[in-house]
Amino acid sequence: MFDKETYLRRRRALRAKIKSGLILFPANGESPVNYPANGYHFRQDSNFLYYFGLNCPNLVGVIDVEADTSCLYGDDCTLDDIIWMGNQPTLREMGERVGVQHTFTMLELQLMMTMAIRKGRRIHFLPPYRESNVLLLKSLLGIKSDFIGNYVSEELIKAVVSMREVKEPQEIEEIERACETGYLMHTTAMKMCRPGIVEREIAGTIEGIALSKGAGVSFISIVSQNGETLHNHYYGNKLRPGRMLLIDAGAETDMNYCSDFTRTLPVTGRFTEQQKAVYDIVLAANNRTFELIAPGVTYQSIHLEAARVIAEGLKGLGLMKGSVDDIVENGAYALFMPHGLGHQMGLDVHDMEDLGEKYVGYNEETERSTMFGIGSLRMGRKLKEGHVLTVEPGIYFIPALIDKWRGEKINAAFLNYETIEKYLDFGGIRLEDDALVLAKGCRLLGKKRIPITAEEVEEAMRG
Ligand code: GLY
Ligand code: MN
């Protein structure tokens, strides 16, 4: 964890943004796989980590705005826990590490909350995404589970987003560490990729690297020669010559800061002419995005600029027709890139997605589009110095989507199906890097860029 001053400062800053009441931060609990003692890998709630820093389950952090205090609630280990898990720090010791002097049991939390509700105090909490925390809030607040969402504090969401979205220098250092691991994962995959190897052999190896360097992967890795399926989590295919292997994978540091990178490799080690032509368009869209990222520019407008590069390139290959302006305005490029250009990244790989994209990626100034494709853009609003973003354009040939658009004549004026048909078994290409918004422009995160030009990738695969 960071030093205790970090958490004291963050809680002070948060208190200053909230008018009155109690702010509740429930930590996550353990999640059983098939019986209570066999749990999934424990992952702490990121908001709890940000303000209370402790990577330990079953705690609740409370900030009392009027009293100007922070409290930690939880139950110390029993002898039975110690027999199975070894000695654990006491709640008091854990509190001291993050600058919290007041520690209490979970029963005391229930009593304190009952009093606060009786006094009519405002209780702030964030949208819970785990059922166990819905049930905790239900029991603390006496609200039916189905209605918890109605009582979430918008004031708290906005305050937390305003803090977490601007990364501190020490957070950037952590993200850089996660990027280093990402570099190792992807360059290892480049060395392993060849015809005959099964996707899971590569997935297992790179996930092992993430675990050996920190807290494991930052999301379920995508390692697939069917890269046209955007979130393909199947690893059972043997790699075939002529296919491309799409790897979208990142790591978490032991402090749970994330990286997220995508590379697309020719299984044989050499791109075909057709593959390279499409690859270079995606690369151009990625590079163009880096030229445009700067404070004050909306990411929505940059998504559209990347779309222009894609439209221009696909026109050059004879897959699209008409004016680039019209293609972009009508969202016709989304047949080939049906997702957004990127998202924020930090303690979560899709940072703060639990708080709601309408607060994280949009605001009163920038409204989310409802158009297919750009409607999936998670981060659309104006960029600020200190934002961390992914840059992940792609081009995919999704036969079911192509069939639908063709059948329903969607954007038919811009699409050349005679040529598109020659690409139906092409697969997909995505190239993703991570960027830090600076006072002017941006910079790539990670010491070295993971090989990305077709030549660099082929070279790394030979190595
Ligand atoms: N890298 C996975 C995603 O951004 O959804
Ligand atoms: Mn991503």
Side-chain angles (χ1 to χ4, degrees):
M1 69 181 70
F2 296 124
D3 62 18
K4 74 166 77 163
E5 276 311 311
T6 296
Y7 303 103
L8 282 162
R9 173 173 46 74
R10 288 176 181 174
R11 292 194 299 265
R12 247 191 332 261
L14 181 65
R15 246 186 345 251
K17 288 172 184 276
I18 301 293
K19 281 195 211 81
S20 64
L22 294 174
I23 310 172
L24 250 54
F25 285 108
N28 277 337
E30 298 277 8
S31 290
V33 177
N34 46 357
Y35 56 88
N38 185 21
Y40 286 105
H41 163 75
F42 173 70
R43 176 51 156 87
Q44 185 58 286
D45 173 71
S46 299
N47 299 300
F48 185 86
L49 276 177
Y50 189 82
Y51 291 104
F52 287 87
L54 297 163
N55 197 3
C56 176
N58 305 323
L59 302 172
V60 179
V62 177
I63 300 174
D64 186 323
V65 177
E66 286 91 330
D68 199 8
T69 52
S70 293
C71 305
L72 197 59
Y73 291 84
D75 293 321
D76 280 328
C77 281
T78 61
L79 179 61
D80 204 41
D81 294 329
I82 291 168
I83 291 169
W84 290 97
M85 292 154 44
N87 279 327
Q88 304 293 320
T90 64
L91 189 66
R92 179 168 293 274
E93 286 164 346
M94 286 196 280
E96 274 165 16
R97 289 180 194 170
V98 292
V100 177
Q101 287 164 359
H102 309 285
T103 56
F104 303 95
T105 64
M106 288 303 268
L107 182 62
E108 287 169 312
L109 174 63
Q110 190 81 59
L111 298 173
M112 185 279 288
M113 290 296 293
T114 306
M115 294 295 290
I117 291 164
R118 253 190 225 152
K119 286 187 192 153
R121 298 195 67 189
R122 176 95 168 86
I123 315 284
H124 300 270
F125 59 90
L126 298 170
Y129 52 90
R130 287 204 187 178
E131 280 310 300
S132 53
N133 277 341
V134 172
L135 294 176
L136 175 74
L137 290 167
K138 171 179 183 242
S139 124
L140 291 176
L141 304 170
I143 301 170
K144 279 191 175 170
S145 305
D146 289 351
F147 299 143
I148 291 284
N150 300 343
Y151 293 87
V152 157
S153 167
E154 193 178 51
E155 187 185 355
L156 180 60
I157 292 176
K158 287 184 172 170
V160 169
V161 171
S162 73
M163 292 181 66
R164 280 185 56 190
E165 70 176 358
V166 177
K167 271 56 180 180
E168 302 162 357
Q170 59 187 355
E171 293 184 284
I172 300 296
E173 278 176 34
E174 277 296 308
I175 294 171
E176 294 272 18
R177 264 182 221 124
C179 290
E180 289 308 300
T181 306
Y183 182 93
L184 196 58
M185 291 161 74
H186 281 270
T187 50
T188 301
M190 286 175 185
K191 287 176 201 145
M192 290 180 75
C193 178
R194 61 173 185 276
I197 196 166
V198 180
E199 292 159 343
R200 94 161 42 84
E201 296 177 61
I202 299 178
T205 303
I206 66 175
E207 293 206 348
I209 293 174
L211 196 56
S212 73
K213 298 285 180 188
V217 291
S218 49
F219 58 97
I220 303 173
S221 308
I222 298 158
V223 180
S224 176
Q225 66 180 342
N226 299 316
E228 72 280 8
T229 304
L230 301 182
H231 280 178
N232 194 336
H233 295 148
Y234 179 73
Y235 307 134
N237 296 305
K238 200 179 262 194
L239 297 191
R240 284 186 282 114
R243 300 295 304 168
M244 287 175 292
L245 179 66
L246 187 149
I247 303 179
D248 183 346
E252 278 192 12
T253 62
D254 50 9
M255 285 182 59
N256 301 104
Y257 282 87
C258 302
S259 63
D260 182 5
F261 293 106
T262 309
R263 289 294 183 266
T264 309
L265 320 174
V267 167
T268 57
R270 281 298 293 264
F271 287 101
T272 64
E273 234 171 78
Q274 188 194 46
Q275 287 168 346
K276 184 165 181 310
V278 179
Y279 189 95
D280 283 344
I281 300 169
V282 180
L283 178 57
N286 176 308
N287 287 333
R288 180 81 185 121
T289 303
F290 273 93
E291 286 167 12
L292 296 172
I293 292 178
V297 185
T298 69
Y299 211 41
Q300 200 173 51
S301 70
I302 302 179
H303 172 107
L304 294 173
E305 283 299 321
R308 293 182 68 83
V309 175
I310 286 171
E312 194 93 57
L314 293 178
K315 257 184 78 176
L317 295 182
L319 290 148
M320 301 199 86
K321 57 189 178 185
S323 92
V324 169
D325 286 346
D326 291 345
I327 290 175
V328 172
E329 195 175 318
N330 288 281
Y333 66 89
L335 175 62
F336 305 104
M337 185 174 114
H339 64 67
L341 184 60
H343 47 84
Q344 294 198 55
M345 190 183 80
L347 272 169
D348 309 310
V349 66
H350 287 187
D351 213 24
M352 301 173 278
E353 203 159 293
D354 55 319
L355 304 183
E357 285 165 22
K358 82 175 202 201
Y359 302 107
V360 178
Y362 293 88
N363 54 19
E364 297 76 19
E365 205 178 40
T366 312
E367 213 177 299
R368 191 175 188 141
S369 166
T370 52
M371 195 180 263
F372 179 72
I374 194 168
S376 297
L377 178 65
R378 294 181 154 94
M379 170 67 185
R381 65 196 175 84
K382 260 189 200 159
L383 303 177
K384 279 188 200 166
E385 182 179 0
H387 275 169
V388 168
L389 301 162
T390 67
V391 173
E392 48 182 310
I395 295 180
Y396 315 86
F397 292 85
I398 306 170
L401 184 61
I402 293 170
D403 278 354
K404 177 183 159 71
W405 278 38
R406 188 177 203 172
E408 295 178 17
K409 299 191 168 43
I410 298 170
N411 281 316
F414 307 112
L415 298 161
N416 243 331
Y417 284 103
E418 262 175 40
T419 315
I420 292 171
E421 262 176 18
K422 296 184 189 139
Y423 288 74
L424 286 180
D425 64 352
F426 182 92
I429 295 175
R430 179 163 62 254
L431 295 173
E432 177 176 25
D433 289 309
D434 303 330
L436 169 65
V437 182
L438 303 173
K440 279 190 187 153
C442 72
R443 77 170 172 85
L444 190 85
L445 285 161
K447 271 199 202 110
K448 278 189 289 182
R449 195 177 192 187
I450 300 168
I452 192 162
T453 66
E455 295 72 24
E456 287 165 357
V457 168
E458 289 173 358
E459 172 69 30
M461 289 180 75
R462 275 196 295 274

